[in-house]
Amino acid sequence: MNTADLGLPVDVPSTALFTDHYELTMLRAALEAGSAERRSVFEVFTRRLPEGRRYGVVAGTGRVLDAVENFRFDGGVLAFLRERGVVDDRTLQWLAGYRFTGDIWGYPEGEVYFPGSPVLRVEGSFAECVLLETVVLSILNHDSAVAAAASRMSSAADGRPLIEMGARRTHELAAVAAARAAYVGGFTTTSDLAAGFRYGIPTVGTSAHAFTLLHDTERGAFRAQVESLGRGTTLLVDTYDVTEAVRIAVEVAGPELGAVRIDSGDLLLVAHRVRRQLDELGATGTKIVVTSDLDEYAIASLRAAPVDAYGVGTQLVTGSGHPTCSMVYKLVARAESSDPAAPLVPVAKKSVGGKSSVGGRKWAARRLDEHGVAQAEVIGTGPVPADLVDRQLLVQLVKGGQVVAREPLDTARGRHRTARSGLPLSATQLSRGEPVLPTDYI
C-alpha cells in the first residue's frame, strides 16, 4: 500500500522541495551545458559506521519509495522557485514535467550494512537522479540511525518486548518515522498513534503520573483506571511510594492485574523488590514494565532483573548518541555523452581526509563461512564471482520509474531479525569495536 494515499496530516502534497538549493542550480547549469541527460549512476553509502558500532541497519526504504513517487513540481512550487530566482524559465519548464523514470536498486529494508556497502543505487539521467539526493539522504540517515539503535536495544533486551515512546522527544513528523524505524529494528509496539494509523504498528498506553495526581488518592486513581480499562491494565506505581502503590494496585485489581510500570529510581533494585512483593501478594502473573531514559546499556544491565518489558524514548529517537549514519550520495559512473548508447565510465572524488570514494557501478554480496555465518561484505564493479551470485544483496526497487518492491513493514522487520542472526556473535556486543565484517573490494 502506498501510505501517501491515506491523506494523513503527516503527508505533504509533494516532496520536491525536500532538497537543497544547489541541486536545482546544478540542474540549470547541466541543462545549459547539454550534459543533463547523460546516463548516470549514484550510490548511497557510508565511509564508516558510528564509533563503536558493529553493523548498520537499512531502514526508511519504503519511505524513500513514497518520496520518489511524490517528487513533483506543482504550480505553487514552481511559482516559489520563479519568485526566488532559483532557476530560469527553461529549467522551470523542465521541472514542471519531472517524473523519475530511472531504476533504483538497494539493500532491502531491514538488511544490515557495513562501510562502503552500496545501500542504494539510483540510475537514470543526471538531471533526474541528482534532484533526489537530499530527500533520499534525509530519510535513510535518520531512519537507519534509529533502526540501528533499536536493533542494539532489541539484542540487549534478549527477547523481552520493547515499547517505542519517544514522540515527545523529537519533531512530530520525525516521531512517526522513528516509530517505523524502531519497529524494523526490533521494537514491538509504539505509543504514537499516527505511526499506528499510518504503518499498522501496534500501539499501547495506559496512564501517566498526571492521572494519579488528578485524583484525591492513589487508590481512587487506580480504581478509575481498572474500572475503565479492566484488570489487565498497567498501573503506574512510582508517583508516591512504590511499595504502598503496589499493595494498593493488587488490592484494587486483584491478582489478575496485568502489569505495573516503574518510571524512576534504581530500576534494578526496585524491580527485584516489586517482583518479590507481587509474588507475596499472589499476583504472580503481573508483569513489570520499566521506563526512565533507558538505552541499550541500561537495558543490558537489567537483563538479570525480573523485568518483562521496556519503554524507551529519548535515546531511541536520537539514535542513542548517533542521530545520523553519515551516509552520502555520490556519482560513481556516468556516460561519455548524452547518447543513450554511450558507455558508462567510472568517476570518483579524490580527496584527502578520508572523503575519497570508489568509482564504478557496484554490486554487493555477503560471503559466508562453512557454518553459514557471514564472513565478509564483498563489493565489486566487474563480473560477480560464481560463488557469490546467489549471495547478492541489492534488489530492484524501482524499474522505469515504477515501484516494484513495496512490501509490508513486518517483512522488513523479519528480514532484520534474520540478517542479524546471521552475523558473528560478536555483532551483538555493546562494547566498542570495529565492524563485525570486513569490506572486501574486488
Side-chain angles (χ1 to χ4, degrees), residues 45 47-48 328 330 349-358:
F45 62 93
R47 297 183 176 94
R48 63 191 67 83
V328 294
K330 296 297 181 183
K349 176 182 178 180
K350 300 300 181 184
S351 174
V352 296
K355 295 191 71 174
S356 61
S357 55
V358 178

Side-chain angles (χ1 to χ4, degrees), residues 44-47 57-59 113 119 137 140-141 144 324-329:
V44 176
F45 62 93
T46 185
R47 297 183 176 94
V57 181
V58 178
Y113 70 88
V119 298
L137 288 179
L140 292 180
N141 268 315
S144 297
T324 179
C325 302
S326 298
M327 290 181 181
V328 294
Y329 183 100

Side-chain angles (χ1 to χ4, degrees), residues 191-386:
S191 66
D192 190 87
L193 289 175
F197 182 72
R198 183 172 174 83
Y199 297 117
I201 303 169
T203 61
V204 294
T206 51
S207 66
H209 293 102
F211 186 76
T212 301
L213 296 170
L214 169 68
H215 292 80
D216 295 335
T217 65
E218 197 165 39
R219 182 183 296 274
F222 288 173
R223 182 179 294 113
Q225 184 174 327
V226 169
E227 289 177 354
S228 174
L229 301 179
R231 297 178 185 273
T233 191
T234 299
L235 295 176
L236 181 58
V237 296
D238 73 327
T239 305
Y240 305 118
D241 178 82
V242 173
T243 301
E244 180 65 9
V246 171
R247 184 186 66 79
I248 296 172
V250 176
E251 282 185 6
V252 170
E256 300 84 15
L257 175 62
V260 296
R261 178 162 75 95
I262 307 166
D263 188 50
S264 59
D266 184 335
L267 297 179
L268 180 61
L269 175 63
V270 175
H272 278 288
R273 288 177 175 173
V274 168
R275 181 73 272 160
R276 186 183 313 113
Q277 184 182 8
L278 287 170
D279 292 346
E280 290 172 352
L281 293 171
T284 56
T286 300
K287 299 184 182 303
I288 297 175
V289 180
V290 297
T291 53
S292 185
D293 291 328
L294 299 179
D295 62 10
E296 60 266 47
Y297 302 102
I299 292 170
S301 72
L302 291 167
R303 185 174 294 179
V307 172
D308 299 288
Y310 307 89
V312 189
T314 303
Q315 291 301 315
L316 174 63
V317 299
T318 57
S320 194
H322 298 288
T324 179
C325 302
S326 298
M327 290 181 181
V328 294
Y329 183 100
K330 296 297 181 183
L331 181 66
V332 296
R334 50 88 175 163
E336 291 181 339
S337 71
S338 297
D339 184 341
L344 289 172
V345 294
V347 294
K349 176 182 178 180
K350 300 300 181 184
S351 174
V352 296
K355 295 191 71 174
S356 61
S357 55
V358 178
R361 182 181 185 272
K362 301 173 193 67
W363 52 264
R366 191 160 295 148
R367 182 180 291 126
L368 309 181
D369 65 15
E370 64 273 19
H371 303 293
V373 178
Q375 192 176 45
E377 195 88 338
V378 185
I379 299 172
T381 57
V384 181

Side-chain angles (χ1 to χ4, degrees), residues 72-83:
R72 303 284 186 270
F73 292 84
D74 58 24
V77 170
L78 293 171
F80 166 79
L81 297 176
R82 179 182 295 108
E83 177 186 326

